[in-house]
Amino acid sequence: MNADRPRPAALALAALALTVVLTGCQEGGAAAGGAAPAASTAAPAPTGSAGGAGPTSAPSDVPSAAPTAAPAVKKPVAPKTAAPGSTPPPAPKPEPAPAGGDCVDSPPAPEDVDPDEFALYRIEELDGSTGKVNLVVQHGAWGCGSPDSDGAPFVVTGEESRWALDQAAYVTVTNPIVTSTENRRIGVQELIDWVNAHPDSGLVFRYETGDDGAIHRLEEVFTP
């Protein structure tokens, strides 16, 4: 009989241990149950597009950006045209040629004569001691050439005159004295030789005189 006495004590201890275990499980369950509602109150994460994060549409309470105004397009301006039946403005008239003009169509008047040009016909040699020769020339003016001519003619007027040419003068000539359309310098004796071989050629020269009144510069004017 004494061997059976300890059993109630052992049962009591087992029952106490079971109570402690059950109590701990209930408290753990309550703690776990209380945390769950807090987690459930969080807003669900937005579902992104197939490419990743971000909502598929903007929230309705966020103001959208104002649209950018398109740049104004200028309309092409149509050219002004005269109204039907209206008369077009007259074309500007060419200005009239100045009195005297650049050419003459008749023997030139004294006021038309070019004082710096003459036609050369002959050369008269003087005493070598003078250092000069005489040019036999005739003054005139440029005529108005015809459409089928190569150039304008030099129209002479008045009597022949003589002008002294310094034998050291600066002389340039062109065709036909030399084979060139540009002036080339030659000596006075070369000029004398050519003019003596071609008298009365009437080649036109431009000239300048020195302080002594004699010609110190003589330049042939090219004519076609």
Side-chain angles (χ1 to χ4, degrees):
M1 296 297 292
N2 290 336
D4 297 332
R5 286 180 180 178
R7 290 181 179 178
L11 291 175
L13 290 174
L16 180 59
L18 180 59
T19 300
V20 173
V21 172
L22 291 176
T23 302
C25 290
Q26 288 178 357
E27 291 178 354
S40 63
T41 58
T47 304
S49 62
T56 56
S57 60
S60 59
D61 57 342
V62 178
S64 58
T68 303
V73 179
K74 294 184 178 180
K75 296 183 179 180
V77 179
K80 296 182 179 180
T81 57
S86 62
T87 303
K93 295 180 179 180
E95 296 182 3
D102 295 330
C103 65
V104 295
D105 53 6
S106 61
E111 60 270 17
D112 296 327
V113 172
D114 190 336
D116 299 323
E117 293 179 338
F118 52 56
L120 175 62
Y121 292 103
R122 294 178 304 278
I123 298 179
E124 297 176 346
E125 297 189 55
L126 303 175
D127 188 332
S129 62
T130 63
K132 296 177 177 60
V133 295
N134 272 345
L135 304 181
V136 180
V137 303
Q138 203 168 1
H139 284 82
W142 291 100
C144 301
S146 59
D148 56 350
S149 65
D150 293 334
F154 188 77
V155 183
V156 297
T157 186
E159 301 292 333
E160 290 181 350
S161 59
R162 287 165 173 79
W163 284 73
L165 172 69
D166 193 289
Q167 288 189 341
Y170 185 91
V171 179
T172 62
V173 296
T174 179
N175 184 67
I177 298 178
V178 295
T179 308
S180 173
T181 57
E182 296 181 359
N183 283 70
R184 294 182 180 179
R185 185 177 181 181
I186 64 172
V188 171
Q189 188 59 49
E190 293 178 73
L191 176 66
I192 294 172
D193 294 342
W194 191 93
V195 173
N196 288 341
H198 306 83
D200 300 325
S201 63
L203 295 180
V204 182
F205 285 83
R206 186 175 293 111
Y207 66 96
E208 296 178 8
T209 58
D211 294 337
D212 58 355
I215 296 173
H216 284 255
R217 186 180 184 91
L218 193 65
E219 177 185 358
E220 182 187 355
V221 178
F222 172 77
T223 53

